[in-house]
PDB file of all heavy atoms in Angstrom:
ATOM      1  N   GLU H1244      34.195 -92.102 -57.092  1.00 92.00           N
ATOM      2  CA  GLU H1244      34.667 -92.070 -55.711  1.00 92.00           C
ATOM      3  C   GLU H1244      35.679 -90.931 -55.510  1.00 92.00           C
ATOM      4  O   GLU H1244      35.639 -90.218 -54.512  1.00 92.00           O
ATOM      5  CB  GLU H1244      35.304 -93.417 -55.375  1.00 92.00           C
ATOM      6  CG  GLU H1244      35.531 -93.632 -53.900  1.00 92.00           C
ATOM      7  CD  GLU H1244      36.344 -94.886 -53.655  1.00 92.00           C
ATOM      8  OE1 GLU H1244      36.067 -95.914 -54.301  1.00 92.00           O
ATOM      9  OE2 GLU H1244      37.276 -94.808 -52.836  1.00 92.00           O
ATOM     10  N   GLN H1245      36.559 -90.761 -56.507  1.00 91.00           N
ATOM     11  CA  GLN H1245      37.557 -89.691 -56.423  1.00 91.00           C
ATOM     12  C   GLN H1245      36.896 -88.317 -56.432  1.00 91.00           C
ATOM     13  O   GLN H1245      37.347 -87.393 -55.767  1.00 91.00           O
ATOM     14  CB  GLN H1245      38.540 -89.782 -57.608  1.00 91.00           C
ATOM     15  CG  GLN H1245      39.417 -91.020 -57.590  1.00 91.00           C
ATOM     16  CD  GLN H1245      40.358 -91.059 -56.400  1.00 91.00           C
ATOM     17  OE1 GLN H1245      40.995 -90.074 -56.083  1.00 91.00           O
ATOM     18  NE2 GLN H1245      40.407 -92.190 -55.714  1.00 91.00           N
ATOM     19  N   MET H1246      35.830 -88.186 -57.200  1.00 91.00           N
ATOM     20  CA  MET H1246      35.161 -86.895 -57.333  1.00 91.00           C
ATOM     21  C   MET H1246      34.429 -86.485 -56.069  1.00 91.00           C
ATOM     22  O   MET H1246      34.276 -85.309 -55.791  1.00 91.00           O
ATOM     23  CB  MET H1246      34.125 -86.975 -58.449  1.00 91.00           C
ATOM     24  CG  MET H1246      34.625 -86.466 -59.751  1.00 91.00           C
ATOM     25  SD  MET H1246      33.384 -86.873 -60.986  1.00 91.00           S
ATOM     26  CE  MET H1246      34.481 -87.152 -62.342  1.00 91.00           C
ATOM     27  N   GLY H1247      33.947 -87.443 -55.329  1.00 90.00           N
ATOM     28  CA  GLY H1247      33.116 -87.128 -54.176  1.00 90.00           C
ATOM     29  C   GLY H1247      31.678 -86.912 -54.610  1.00 90.00           C
ATOM     30  O   GLY H1247      31.310 -87.170 -55.767  1.00 90.00           O
ATOM     31  N   ASP H1248      30.860 -86.408 -53.681  1.00 93.00           N
ATOM     32  CA  ASP H1248      29.427 -86.301 -53.942  1.00 93.00           C
ATOM     33  C   ASP H1248      29.133 -85.409 -55.144  1.00 93.00           C
ATOM     34  O   ASP H1248      29.458 -84.231 -55.144  1.00 93.00           O
ATOM     35  CB  ASP H1248      28.724 -85.737 -52.713  1.00 93.00           C
ATOM     36  CG  ASP H1248      28.996 -86.579 -51.476  1.00 93.00           C
ATOM     37  OD1 ASP H1248      28.540 -87.725 -51.445  1.00 93.00           O
ATOM     38  OD2 ASP H1248      29.683 -86.086 -50.559  1.00 93.00           O
ATOM     39  N   VAL H1249      28.495 -85.974 -56.153  1.00 95.00           N
ATOM     40  CA  VAL H1249      28.160 -85.222 -57.364  1.00 95.00           C
ATOM     41  C   VAL H1249      26.864 -84.451 -57.128  1.00 95.00           C
ATOM     42  O   VAL H1249      25.883 -84.998 -56.626  1.00 95.00           O
ATOM     43  CB  VAL H1249      28.035 -86.171 -58.572  1.00 95.00           C
ATOM     44  CG1 VAL H1249      27.521 -85.431 -59.798  1.00 95.00           C
ATOM     45  CG2 VAL H1249      29.388 -86.826 -58.863  1.00 95.00           C
ATOM     46  N   VAL H1250      26.892 -83.157 -57.454  1.00 94.00           N
ATOM     47  CA  VAL H1250      25.720 -82.312 -57.183  1.00 94.00           C
ATOM     48  C   VAL H1250      25.063 -81.766 -58.447  1.00 94.00           C
ATOM     49  O   VAL H1250      23.959 -81.223 -58.403  1.00 94.00           O
ATOM     50  CB  VAL H1250      26.090 -81.146 -56.243  1.00 94.00           C
ATOM     51  CG1 VAL H1250      26.512 -81.697 -54.891  1.00 94.00           C
ATOM     52  CG2 VAL H1250      27.192 -80.256 -56.824  1.00 94.00           C
ATOM     53  N   PHE H1251      25.735 -81.890 -59.580  1.00 94.00           N
ATOM     54  CA  PHE H1251      25.186 -81.325 -60.815  1.00 94.00           C
ATOM     55  C   PHE H1251      25.924 -81.907 -62.007  1.00 94.00           C
ATOM     56  O   PHE H1251      27.140 -82.080 -61.956  1.00 94.00           O
ATOM     57  CB  PHE H1251      25.338 -79.800 -60.799  1.00 94.00           C
ATOM     58  CG  PHE H1251      24.651 -79.096 -61.938  1.00 94.00           C
ATOM     59  CD1 PHE H1251      23.273 -79.063 -62.026  1.00 94.00           C
ATOM     60  CD2 PHE H1251      25.396 -78.455 -62.917  1.00 94.00           C
ATOM     61  CE1 PHE H1251      22.644 -78.404 -63.073  1.00 94.00           C
ATOM     62  CE2 PHE H1251      24.767 -77.793 -63.968  1.00 94.00           C
ATOM     63  CZ  PHE H1251      23.394 -77.766 -64.044  1.00 94.00           C
ATOM     64  N   VAL H1253      26.215 -81.447 -66.252  1.00 92.00           N
ATOM     65  CA  VAL H1253      25.856 -80.755 -67.486  1.00 92.00           C
ATOM     66  C   VAL H1253      26.050 -81.737 -68.633  1.00 92.00           C
ATOM     67  O   VAL H1253      27.162 -82.206 -68.874  1.00 92.00           O
ATOM     68  CB  VAL H1253      26.764 -79.524 -67.732  1.00 92.00           C
ATOM     69  CG1 VAL H1253      26.307 -78.773 -68.975  1.00 92.00           C
ATOM     70  CG2 VAL H1253      26.778 -78.607 -66.524  1.00 92.00           C
ATOM     71  N   VAL H1269      30.117 -81.878 -68.050  1.00 94.00           N
ATOM     72  CA  VAL H1269      30.755 -81.301 -66.873  1.00 94.00           C
ATOM     73  C   VAL H1269      30.102 -81.917 -65.647  1.00 94.00           C
ATOM     74  O   VAL H1269      28.866 -81.943 -65.547  1.00 94.00           O
ATOM     75  CB  VAL H1269      30.603 -79.766 -66.821  1.00 94.00           C
ATOM     76  CG1 VAL H1269      31.301 -79.215 -65.586  1.00 94.00           C
ATOM     77  CG2 VAL H1269      31.172 -79.131 -68.078  1.00 94.00           C
ATOM     78  N   ILE H1270      30.922 -82.446 -64.768  1.00 95.00           N
ATOM     79  CA  ILE H1270      30.396 -83.016 -63.529  1.00 95.00           C
ATOM     80  C   ILE H1270      30.824 -82.107 -62.395  1.00 95.00           C
ATOM     81  O   ILE H1270      32.019 -81.878 -62.190  1.00 95.00           O
ATOM     82  CB  ILE H1270      30.962 -84.428 -63.289  1.00 95.00           C
ATOM     83  CG1 ILE H1270      30.698 -85.313 -64.507  1.00 95.00           C
ATOM     84  CG2 ILE H1270      30.333 -85.046 -62.040  1.00 95.00           C
ATOM     85  CD1 ILE H1270      31.372 -86.661 -64.396  1.00 95.00           C
ATOM     86  N   GLU H1271      29.856 -81.572 -61.687  1.00 94.00           N
ATOM     87  CA  GLU H1271      30.141 -80.726 -60.533  1.00 94.00           C
ATOM     88  C   GLU H1271      29.966 -81.574 -59.279  1.00 94.00           C
ATOM     89  O   GLU H1271      28.888 -82.103 -59.024  1.00 94.00           O
ATOM     90  CB  GLU H1271      29.162 -79.542 -60.471  1.00 94.00           C
ATOM     91  CG  GLU H1271      29.307 -78.561 -61.612  1.00 94.00           C
ATOM     92  CD  GLU H1271      30.297 -77.435 -61.309  1.00 94.00           C
ATOM     93  OE1 GLU H1271      30.996 -77.512 -60.263  1.00 94.00           O
ATOM     94  OE2 GLU H1271      30.367 -76.498 -62.127  1.00 94.00           O
ATOM     95  N   SER H1272      31.024 -81.691 -58.493  1.00 94.00           N
ATOM     96  CA  SER H1272      30.905 -82.383 -57.216  1.00 94.00           C
ATOM     97  C   SER H1272      31.041 -81.349 -56.110  1.00 94.00           C
ATOM     98  O   SER H1272      31.260 -80.172 -56.385  1.00 94.00           O
ATOM     99  CB  SER H1272      31.997 -83.448 -57.070  1.00 94.00           C
ATOM    100  OG  SER H1272      33.218 -82.833 -56.767  1.00 94.00           O
ATOM    101  N   VAL H1273      30.900 -81.794 -54.870  1.00 91.00           N
ATOM    102  CA  VAL H1273      31.081 -80.854 -53.768  1.00 91.00           C
ATOM    103  C   VAL H1273      32.499 -80.291 -53.767  1.00 91.00           C
ATOM    104  O   VAL H1273      32.754 -79.240 -53.218  1.00 91.00           O
ATOM    105  CB  VAL H1273      30.785 -81.484 -52.387  1.00 91.00           C
ATOM    106  CG1 VAL H1273      29.298 -81.633 -52.180  1.00 91.00           C
ATOM    107  CG2 VAL H1273      31.479 -82.820 -52.234  1.00 91.00           C
ATOM    108  N   LYS H1274      33.416 -80.990 -54.426  1.00 87.00           N
ATOM    109  CA  LYS H1274      34.803 -80.521 -54.425  1.00 87.00           C
ATOM    110  C   LYS H1274      35.134 -79.602 -55.589  1.00 87.00           C
ATOM    111  O   LYS H1274      35.772 -78.583 -55.405  1.00 87.00           O
ATOM    112  CB  LYS H1274      35.745 -81.734 -54.517  1.00 87.00           C
ATOM    113  CG  LYS H1274      35.924 -82.494 -53.246  1.00 87.00           C
ATOM    114  CD  LYS H1274      37.006 -83.551 -53.455  1.00 87.00           C
ATOM    115  CE  LYS H1274      36.661 -84.813 -52.729  1.00 87.00           C
ATOM    116  NZ  LYS H1274      37.459 -85.946 -53.169  1.00 87.00           N
ATOM    117  N   ALA H1275      34.769 -80.012 -56.805  1.00 88.00           N
ATOM    118  CA  ALA H1275      35.255 -79.301 -57.988  1.00 88.00           C
ATOM    119  C   ALA H1275      34.438 -79.683 -59.208  1.00 88.00           C
ATOM    120  O   ALA H1275      33.614 -80.587 -59.165  1.00 88.00           O
ATOM    121  CB  ALA H1275      36.721 -79.665 -58.236  1.00 88.00           C
ATOM    122  N   ALA H1276      34.685 -78.967 -60.302  1.00 90.00           N
ATOM    123  CA  ALA H1276      34.082 -79.314 -61.583  1.00 90.00           C
ATOM    124  C   ALA H1276      35.075 -80.159 -62.376  1.00 90.00           C
ATOM    125  O   ALA H1276      36.261 -79.868 -62.384  1.00 90.00           O
ATOM    126  CB  ALA H1276      33.738 -78.047 -62.354  1.00 90.00           C
ATOM    127  N   ASP H1278      35.682 -82.164 -66.240  1.00 92.00           N
ATOM    128  CA  ASP H1278      35.213 -82.315 -67.622  1.00 92.00           C
ATOM    129  C   ASP H1278      35.328 -83.774 -68.048  1.00 92.00           C
ATOM    130  O   ASP H1278      36.264 -84.454 -67.676  1.00 92.00           O
ATOM    131  CB  ASP H1278      36.082 -81.482 -68.568  1.00 92.00           C
ATOM    132  CG  ASP H1278      35.894 -80.004 -68.341  1.00 92.00           C
ATOM    133  OD1 ASP H1278      34.731 -79.573 -68.186  1.00 92.00           O
ATOM    134  OD2 ASP H1278      36.907 -79.279 -68.309  1.00 92.00           O
ATOM    135  N   ALA H1295      19.772 -85.009 -64.228  1.00 89.00           N
ATOM    136  CA  ALA H1295      19.510 -83.605 -63.903  1.00 89.00           C
ATOM    137  C   ALA H1295      18.841 -83.497 -62.535  1.00 89.00           C
ATOM    138  O   ALA H1295      19.175 -82.617 -61.742  1.00 89.00           O
ATOM    139  CB  ALA H1295      18.627 -82.973 -64.983  1.00 89.00           C
ATOM    140  N   ASP H1296      17.909 -84.428 -62.273  1.00 89.00           N
ATOM    141  CA  ASP H1296      17.200 -84.388 -60.985  1.00 89.00           C
ATOM    142  C   ASP H1296      17.925 -85.166 -59.902  1.00 89.00           C
ATOM    143  O   ASP H1296      17.782 -84.866 -58.724  1.00 89.00           O
ATOM    144  CB  ASP H1296      15.780 -84.967 -61.157  1.00 89.00           C
ATOM    145  CG  ASP H1296      14.950 -84.114 -62.083  1.00 89.00           C
ATOM    146  OD1 ASP H1296      15.136 -82.885 -62.074  1.00 89.00           O
ATOM    147  OD2 ASP H1296      14.131 -84.687 -62.830  1.00 89.00           O
ATOM    148  N   PRO H1298      21.579 -86.107 -59.521  1.00 95.00           N
ATOM    149  CA  PRO H1298      23.013 -86.226 -59.833  1.00 95.00           C
ATOM    150  C   PRO H1298      23.735 -87.208 -58.906  1.00 95.00           C
ATOM    151  O   PRO H1298      24.745 -87.791 -59.285  1.00 95.00           O
ATOM    152  CB  PRO H1298      23.535 -84.796 -59.644  1.00 95.00           C
ATOM    153  CG  PRO H1298      22.508 -84.103 -58.804  1.00 95.00           C
ATOM    154  CD  PRO H1298      21.204 -84.744 -59.121  1.00 95.00           C
TER     155      PRO H1298
ATOM    156  N   LYS D 280      41.557 -88.512 -46.536  1.00 95.00           N
ATOM    157  CA  LYS D 280      42.244 -88.280 -47.804  1.00 95.00           C
ATOM    158  C   LYS D 280      43.117 -87.045 -47.608  1.00 95.00           C
ATOM    159  O   LYS D 280      42.608 -85.931 -47.474  1.00 95.00           O
ATOM    160  CB  LYS D 280      41.208 -88.058 -48.906  1.00 95.00           C
ATOM    161  CG  LYS D 280      41.817 -87.999 -50.281  1.00 95.00           C
ATOM    162  CD  LYS D 280      40.721 -87.915 -51.338  1.00 95.00           C
ATOM    163  CE  LYS D 280      41.358 -87.630 -52.681  1.00 95.00           C
ATOM    164  NZ  LYS D 280      40.354 -87.280 -53.696  1.00 95.00           N
ATOM    165  N   VAL D 291      41.188 -83.717 -46.365  1.00 96.00           N
ATOM    166  CA  VAL D 291      40.131 -82.946 -47.029  1.00 96.00           C
ATOM    167  C   VAL D 291      38.786 -83.604 -46.774  1.00 96.00           C
ATOM    168  O   VAL D 291      37.756 -82.939 -46.706  1.00 96.00           O
ATOM    169  CB  VAL D 291      40.414 -82.761 -48.536  1.00 96.00           C
ATOM    170  CG1 VAL D 291      40.365 -84.075 -49.295  1.00 96.00           C
ATOM    171  CG2 VAL D 291      39.453 -81.762 -49.168  1.00 96.00           C
ATOM    172  N   GLN D 292      38.817 -84.932 -46.591  1.00 96.00           N
ATOM    173  CA  GLN D 292      37.587 -85.649 -46.244  1.00 96.00           C
ATOM    174  C   GLN D 292      37.963 -87.025 -45.694  1.00 96.00           C
ATOM    175  O   GLN D 292      39.093 -87.477 -45.834  1.00 96.00           O
ATOM    176  CB  GLN D 292      36.677 -85.812 -47.453  1.00 96.00           C
ATOM    177  CG  GLN D 292      37.292 -86.704 -48.550  1.00 96.00           C
ATOM    178  CD  GLN D 292      36.270 -87.085 -49.598  1.00 96.00           C
ATOM    179  OE1 GLN D 292      36.002 -86.339 -50.519  1.00 96.00           O
ATOM    180  NE2 GLN D 292      35.690 -88.261 -49.454  1.00 96.00           N
ATOM    181  N   LEU D 295      33.367 -90.945 -44.974  1.00 95.00           N
ATOM    182  CA  LEU D 295      31.971 -90.480 -44.936  1.00 95.00           C
ATOM    183  C   LEU D 295      31.659 -89.568 -46.123  1.00 95.00           C
ATOM    184  O   LEU D 295      30.554 -89.595 -46.662  1.00 95.00           O
ATOM    185  CB  LEU D 295      31.756 -89.730 -43.611  1.00 95.00           C
ATOM    186  CG  LEU D 295      30.363 -89.541 -43.052  1.00 95.00           C
ATOM    187  CD1 LEU D 295      29.644 -90.869 -42.927  1.00 95.00           C
ATOM    188  CD2 LEU D 295      30.443 -88.847 -41.685  1.00 95.00           C
ATOM    189  N   GLY D 296      32.622 -88.747 -46.552  1.00 94.00           N
ATOM    190  CA  GLY D 296      32.417 -87.837 -47.681  1.00 94.00           C
ATOM    191  C   GLY D 296      31.962 -86.461 -47.233  1.00 94.00           C
ATOM    192  O   GLY D 296      31.346 -86.304 -46.174  1.00 94.00           O
ATOM    193  N   ILE D 297      32.258 -85.472 -48.069  1.00 95.00           N
ATOM    194  CA  ILE D 297      32.039 -84.071 -47.683  1.00 95.00           C
ATOM    195  C   ILE D 297      30.573 -83.785 -47.360  1.00 95.00           C
ATOM    196  O   ILE D 297      30.239 -83.155 -46.366  1.00 95.00           O
ATOM    197  CB  ILE D 297      32.535 -83.125 -48.800  1.00 95.00           C
ATOM    198  CG1 ILE D 297      34.069 -83.242 -48.927  1.00 95.00           C
ATOM    199  CG2 ILE D 297      32.126 -81.680 -48.527  1.00 95.00           C
ATOM    200  CD1 ILE D 297      34.666 -82.480 -50.090  1.00 95.00           C
ATOM    201  N   MET D 298      29.681 -84.289 -48.215  1.00 96.00           N
ATOM    202  CA  MET D 298      28.248 -84.012 -48.029  1.00 96.00           C
ATOM    203  C   MET D 298      27.760 -84.547 -46.675  1.00 96.00           C
ATOM    204  O   MET D 298      27.110 -83.824 -45.910  1.00 96.00           O
ATOM    205  CB  MET D 298      27.469 -84.676 -49.162  1.00 96.00           C
ATOM    206  CG  MET D 298      26.025 -84.308 -49.203  1.00 96.00           C
ATOM    207  SD  MET D 298      25.727 -82.988 -50.370  1.00 96.00           S
ATOM    208  CE  MET D 298      25.699 -83.877 -51.901  1.00 96.00           C
ATOM    209  N   SER D 299      28.079 -85.794 -46.379  1.00 97.00           N
ATOM    210  CA  SER D 299      27.617 -86.390 -45.115  1.00 97.00           C
ATOM    211  C   SER D 299      28.333 -85.783 -43.924  1.00 97.00           C
ATOM    212  O   SER D 299      27.736 -85.615 -42.850  1.00 97.00           O
ATOM    213  CB  SER D 299      27.839 -87.897 -45.127  1.00 97.00           C
ATOM    214  OG  SER D 299      27.121 -88.481 -46.174  1.00 97.00           O
ATOM    215  N   GLY D 486      37.119 -80.139 -46.483  1.00 96.00           N
ATOM    216  CA  GLY D 486      36.088 -79.919 -47.496  1.00 96.00           C
ATOM    217  C   GLY D 486      34.785 -79.457 -46.858  1.00 96.00           C
ATOM    218  O   GLY D 486      34.199 -78.442 -47.260  1.00 96.00           O
ATOM    219  N   GLY D 558      20.358 -71.482 -60.991  1.00 88.00           N
ATOM    220  CA  GLY D 558      20.185 -72.884 -61.364  1.00 88.00           C
ATOM    221  C   GLY D 558      20.700 -73.815 -60.289  1.00 88.00           C
ATOM    222  O   GLY D 558      20.747 -73.459 -59.124  1.00 88.00           O
ATOM    223  N   ARG D 559      21.049 -75.023 -60.704  1.00 90.00           N
ATOM    224  CA  ARG D 559      21.602 -75.976 -59.739  1.00 90.00           C
ATOM    225  C   ARG D 559      23.129 -76.070 -59.850  1.00 90.00           C
ATOM    226  O   ARG D 559      23.777 -76.734 -59.071  1.00 90.00           O
ATOM    227  CB  ARG D 559      20.997 -77.373 -59.967  1.00 90.00           C
ATOM    228  CG  ARG D 559      19.552 -77.459 -59.494  1.00 90.00           C
ATOM    229  CD  ARG D 559      19.069 -78.901 -59.440  1.00 90.00           C
ATOM    230  NE  ARG D 559      19.913 -79.773 -58.636  1.00 90.00           N
ATOM    231  CZ  ARG D 559      19.834 -79.899 -57.319  1.00 90.00           C
ATOM    232  NH1 ARG D 559      18.955 -79.194 -56.638  1.00 90.00           N
ATOM    233  NH2 ARG D 559      20.624 -80.729 -56.685  1.00 90.00           N
ATOM    234  N   ALA D 560      23.689 -75.377 -60.851  1.00 92.00           N
ATOM    235  CA  ALA D 560      25.138 -75.465 -61.054  1.00 92.00           C
ATOM    236  C   ALA D 560      25.875 -74.576 -60.065  1.00 92.00           C
ATOM    237  O   ALA D 560      25.563 -73.396 -59.955  1.00 92.00           O
ATOM    238  CB  ALA D 560      25.487 -75.053 -62.476  1.00 92.00           C
ATOM    239  N   PRO D 561      26.836 -75.134 -59.337  1.00 95.00           N
ATOM    240  CA  PRO D 561      27.632 -74.297 -58.445  1.00 95.00           C
ATOM    241  C   PRO D 561      28.426 -73.265 -59.242  1.00 95.00           C
ATOM    242  O   PRO D 561      28.871 -73.544 -60.338  1.00 95.00           O
ATOM    243  CB  PRO D 561      28.592 -75.286 -57.774  1.00 95.00           C
ATOM    244  CG  PRO D 561      28.024 -76.642 -58.014  1.00 95.00           C
ATOM    245  CD  PRO D 561      27.248 -76.541 -59.295  1.00 95.00           C
ATOM    246  N   MET D 562      28.557 -72.070 -58.670  1.00 97.00           N
ATOM    247  CA  MET D 562      29.468 -71.073 -59.234  1.00 97.00           C
ATOM    248  C   MET D 562      30.606 -70.923 -58.238  1.00 97.00           C
ATOM    249  O   MET D 562      30.377 -70.576 -57.081  1.00 97.00           O
ATOM    250  CB  MET D 562      28.761 -69.742 -59.447  1.00 97.00           C
ATOM    251  CG  MET D 562      27.760 -69.792 -60.573  1.00 97.00           C
ATOM    252  SD  MET D 562      27.179 -68.139 -60.982  1.00 97.00           S
ATOM    253  CE  MET D 562      25.808 -68.547 -62.062  1.00 97.00           C
ATOM    254  N   ARG D 563      31.807 -71.197 -58.713  1.00 96.00           N
ATOM    255  CA  ARG D 563      32.950 -71.253 -57.802  1.00 96.00           C
ATOM    256  C   ARG D 563      33.790 -69.986 -57.897  1.00 96.00           C
ATOM    257  O   ARG D 563      33.530 -69.102 -58.706  1.00 96.00           O
ATOM    258  CB  ARG D 563      33.777 -72.500 -58.113  1.00 96.00           C
ATOM    259  CG  ARG D 563      32.959 -73.790 -57.961  1.00 96.00           C
ATOM    260  CD  ARG D 563      33.759 -75.038 -58.262  1.00 96.00           C
ATOM    261  NE  ARG D 563      32.900 -76.186 -58.469  1.00 96.00           N
ATOM    262  CZ  ARG D 563      32.451 -76.997 -57.498  1.00 96.00           C
ATOM    263  NH1 ARG D 563      32.781 -76.784 -56.248  1.00 96.00           N
ATOM    264  NH2 ARG D 563      31.671 -78.012 -57.779  1.00 96.00           N
ATOM    265  N   GLY D 585      30.190 -72.794 -54.058  1.00 96.00           N
ATOM    266  CA  GLY D 585      30.128 -74.241 -54.149  1.00 96.00           C
ATOM    267  C   GLY D 585      28.708 -74.684 -53.879  1.00 96.00           C
ATOM    268  O   GLY D 585      27.767 -73.891 -53.967  1.00 96.00           O
ATOM    269  N   PHE D 586      28.590 -75.952 -53.551  1.00 96.00           N
ATOM    270  CA  PHE D 586      27.286 -76.519 -53.243  1.00 96.00           C
ATOM    271  C   PHE D 586      27.103 -76.478 -51.730  1.00 96.00           C
ATOM    272  O   PHE D 586      27.986 -76.892 -50.986  1.00 96.00           O
ATOM    273  CB  PHE D 586      27.217 -77.958 -53.748  1.00 96.00           C
ATOM    274  CG  PHE D 586      25.879 -78.610 -53.564  1.00 96.00           C
ATOM    275  CD1 PHE D 586      24.857 -78.393 -54.474  1.00 96.00           C
ATOM    276  CD2 PHE D 586      25.631 -79.423 -52.469  1.00 96.00           C
ATOM    277  CE1 PHE D 586      23.618 -78.999 -54.300  1.00 96.00           C
ATOM    278  CE2 PHE D 586      24.388 -80.028 -52.290  1.00 96.00           C
ATOM    279  CZ  PHE D 586      23.376 -79.814 -53.218  1.00 96.00           C
ATOM    280  N   PRO D 588      25.401 -78.100 -48.803  1.00 97.00           N
ATOM    281  CA  PRO D 588      24.615 -79.305 -48.492  1.00 97.00           C
ATOM    282  C   PRO D 588      23.377 -79.029 -47.645  1.00 97.00           C
ATOM    283  O   PRO D 588      22.346 -79.678 -47.842  1.00 97.00           O
ATOM    284  CB  PRO D 588      25.621 -80.198 -47.744  1.00 97.00           C
ATOM    285  CG  PRO D 588      26.942 -79.800 -48.306  1.00 97.00           C
ATOM    286  CD  PRO D 588      26.836 -78.307 -48.468  1.00 97.00           C
ATOM    287  N   LEU D 614      29.156 -68.779 -66.579  1.00 93.00           N
ATOM    288  CA  LEU D 614      29.559 -70.156 -66.318  1.00 93.00           C
ATOM    289  C   LEU D 614      29.669 -70.873 -67.656  1.00 93.00           C
ATOM    290  O   LEU D 614      28.668 -70.983 -68.367  1.00 93.00           O
ATOM    291  CB  LEU D 614      28.475 -70.796 -65.441  1.00 93.00           C
ATOM    292  CG  LEU D 614      28.855 -71.990 -64.588  1.00 93.00           C
ATOM    293  CD1 LEU D 614      30.002 -71.652 -63.647  1.00 93.00           C
ATOM    294  CD2 LEU D 614      27.638 -72.446 -63.776  1.00 93.00           C
ATOM    295  N   ARG D 615      30.858 -71.332 -67.978  1.00 89.00           N
ATOM    296  CA  ARG D 615      31.085 -72.047 -69.235  1.00 89.00           C
ATOM    297  C   ARG D 615      30.517 -71.278 -70.436  1.00 89.00           C
ATOM    298  O   ARG D 615      29.846 -71.828 -71.299  1.00 89.00           O
ATOM    299  CB  ARG D 615      30.481 -73.457 -69.147  1.00 89.00           C
ATOM    300  CG  ARG D 615      31.169 -74.300 -68.058  1.00 89.00           C
ATOM    301  CD  ARG D 615      30.603 -75.690 -67.921  1.00 89.00           C
ATOM    302  NE  ARG D 615      29.492 -75.770 -66.993  1.00 89.00           N
ATOM    303  CZ  ARG D 615      29.594 -75.954 -65.680  1.00 89.00           C
ATOM    304  NH1 ARG D 615      30.782 -76.064 -65.128  1.00 89.00           N
ATOM    305  NH2 ARG D 615      28.536 -76.017 -64.910  1.00 89.00           N
ATOM    306  N   LYS D 617      28.177 -69.105 -70.577  1.00 93.00           N
ATOM    307  CA  LYS D 617      26.768 -68.685 -70.535  1.00 93.00           C
ATOM    308  C   LYS D 617      26.500 -67.900 -69.260  1.00 93.00           C
ATOM    309  O   LYS D 617      26.960 -68.288 -68.188  1.00 93.00           O
ATOM    310  CB  LYS D 617      25.840 -69.903 -70.562  1.00 93.00           C
ATOM    311  CG  LYS D 617      25.728 -70.556 -71.916  1.00 93.00           C
ATOM    312  CD  LYS D 617      24.688 -71.679 -71.870  1.00 93.00           C
ATOM    313  CE  LYS D 617      24.848 -72.624 -73.055  1.00 93.00           C
ATOM    314  NZ  LYS D 617      24.333 -73.958 -72.767  1.00 93.00           N
TER     315      LYS D 617
END
Side-chain angles (χ1 to χ4, degrees):
Chain H
E1244 194 188 317
Q1245 294 296 314
M1246 263 171 214
D1248 304 293
V1249 173
V1250 296
F1251 187 68
V1253 184
V1269 181
I1270 306 173
E1271 294 270 9
S1272 76
V1273 285
K1274 283 187 218 165
D1278 292 316
D1296 296 326
Chain D
K280 188 174 171 191
V291 66
Q292 65 168 83
L295 201 54
I297 294 174
M298 188 97 80
S299 299
R559 287 193 55 83
M562 289 190 191
R563 301 180 196 273
F586 184 82
L614 203 57
R615 297 179 271 273
K617 285 185 198 155

